[in-house]
Amino acid sequence: MTTTIVLDLDDTLYLEEGYIRSGLAAVGEWADASLGTHGFCETACSLRRQGVTTRLFDATLAALGVTPEPELIDQCIIRYRAHLPDIALEPDALAFLQAPCDWSMALITDGAAESQRRKIDALGLHRFNIDPIICTDDWGRCFWKPHRRAFEVVHASRAGTATGFLYVADNPAKDFITPARLGWSTVQINRPGAIHPRVPPSPRHAADAEIASLEALTPGLVEELLAVRRRRWA
């Protein structure tokens, strides 16, 4: 019987900002070569710093004098999602995944499935003992968190073998409310540079604990959180 640590991906094991920059560079290389733009990536990054977070490709093309036709936006999105990401695990995440431990691990991540699988490959997550690795988008966007399905699949995969479950993620708006309802413990990781707000929209959305690094997720903290959750459900 073992504890199962379930991990989020974006801004939990690596910084999503790095993926965004990598994707914009890939789209920019295509746009500058195919559309005759100059400095697509630099313009997109500048617009993001100014607060443009939606319809970024439209705004970038318009800023560069190109009409953002729907077909062009579709091409940008395709290249963004299909690019090979230039990303790396955060040092504490690498150490956590490599360390000998008494728990098993699984992963649940939202986002376009093609993009998430390329991230998983780029980070080399298959070399670690993480199973299952669930991309919720494989079932459709309606199954993204906070939907229960991914958590229930992990729970079923450990039937009769897990002493408890703990979910580590970054976004209180969607990550913790469902596993908490299932009796899991929850931990919010607050990495500098993470892109989502840190404040839960309600007390029900809050994690049981907050950490700044996976170095803080010690066996002692894990057992303490599981014990608190067990008492609540007793």
Side-chain angles (χ1 to χ4, degrees), residues 37-118:
T37 57
H38 297 283
F40 181 100
C41 180
E42 293 78 5
T43 301
C45 290
S46 175
L47 288 169
R48 287 192 73 243
R49 288 193 294 271
Q50 295 170 43
V52 178
T53 56
T54 59
R55 304 188 72 86
L56 178 61
F57 294 141
D58 301 66
T60 302
L61 289 173
L64 294 171
V66 178
T67 301
E69 301 286 353
E71 312 85 64
L72 291 181
I73 301 304
D74 288 344
Q75 289 297 314
C76 290
I77 293 171
I78 288 170
R79 283 163 173 77
Y80 183 86
R81 290 179 176 173
H83 88 283
L84 182 62
D86 181 15
I87 55 177
L89 291 166
E90 287 293 287
D92 64 293
L94 177 60
F96 181 83
L97 294 174
Q98 288 179 328
C101 63
D102 293 327
W103 50 65
S104 65
M105 292 185 290
L107 185 142
I108 297 173
T109 180
D110 288 342
E114 180 182 17
S115 299
Q116 299 309 100
R117 294 197 182 284
R118 288 182 177 272

Side-chain angles (χ1 to χ4, degrees), residues 16 18 39 44 80 87 131 141-142 152 181 208 218:
E16 189 171 3
Y80 183 86
I87 55 177
D131 182 59
R141 187 168 186 132
C142 61
E152 290 175 337
R181 285 172 175 166
D208 297 325
T218 62

Side-chain angles (χ1 to χ4, degrees), residues 11-234:
D11 279 335
T12 298
L13 299 182
Y14 83 103
L15 284 175
E16 189 171 3
E17 184 66 31
Y19 174 79
I20 294 171
R21 289 196 301 267
S22 175
L24 292 178
V27 176
E29 183 177 351
W30 167 79
D32 290 350
S34 302
L35 305 179
T37 57
H38 297 283
F40 181 100
C41 180
E42 293 78 5
T43 301
C45 290
S46 175
L47 288 169
R48 287 192 73 243
R49 288 193 294 271
Q50 295 170 43
V52 178
T53 56
T54 59
R55 304 188 72 86
L56 178 61
F57 294 141
D58 301 66
T60 302
L61 289 173
L64 294 171
V66 178
T67 301
E69 301 286 353
E71 312 85 64
L72 291 181
I73 301 304
D74 288 344
Q75 289 297 314
C76 290
I77 293 171
I78 288 170
R79 283 163 173 77
Y80 183 86
R81 290 179 176 173
H83 88 283
L84 182 62
D86 181 15
I87 55 177
L89 291 166
E90 287 293 287
D92 64 293
L94 177 60
F96 181 83
L97 294 174
Q98 288 179 328
C101 63
D102 293 327
W103 50 65
S104 65
M105 292 185 290
L107 185 142
I108 297 173
T109 180
D110 288 342
E114 180 182 17
S115 299
Q116 299 309 100
R117 294 197 182 284
R118 288 182 177 272
K119 294 174 186 176
I120 289 164
D121 289 343
L123 296 171
L125 293 186
H126 292 292
R127 64 192 150 132
F128 304 109
N129 187 26
I130 305 174
D131 182 59
I133 293 177
I134 298 175
C135 297
T136 57
D137 195 55
D138 284 336
W139 301 317
R141 187 168 186 132
C142 61
F143 290 100
W144 289 19
K145 296 172 288 183
H147 197 279
R148 296 167 61 99
R149 182 171 179 177
F151 298 99
E152 290 175 337
V153 168
V154 172
H155 203 283
S157 75
R158 300 296 197 276
T161 64
T163 57
F165 294 84
L166 186 147
Y167 190 51
V168 185
D170 70 294
N171 185 355
K174 64 173 183 174
D175 281 331
F176 308 118
I177 189 167
T178 298
R181 285 172 175 166
L182 295 174
W184 294 20
S185 299
T186 54
V187 173
Q188 177 175 322
I189 186 166
N190 297 320
R191 293 193 181 280
I195 65 175
H196 294 294
R198 306 289 91 199
V199 180
S202 80
R204 295 184 302 114
H205 289 79
D208 297 325
E210 297 185 24
I211 57 176
S213 164
L214 288 173
E215 292 179 353
L217 195 63
T218 62
L221 176 60
V222 171
E223 182 51 40
E224 177 184 340
L225 293 172
L226 292 176
V228 169
R229 182 63 63 173
R230 284 193 290 267
R231 286 196 295 271
R232 289 177 185 170
W233 282 65

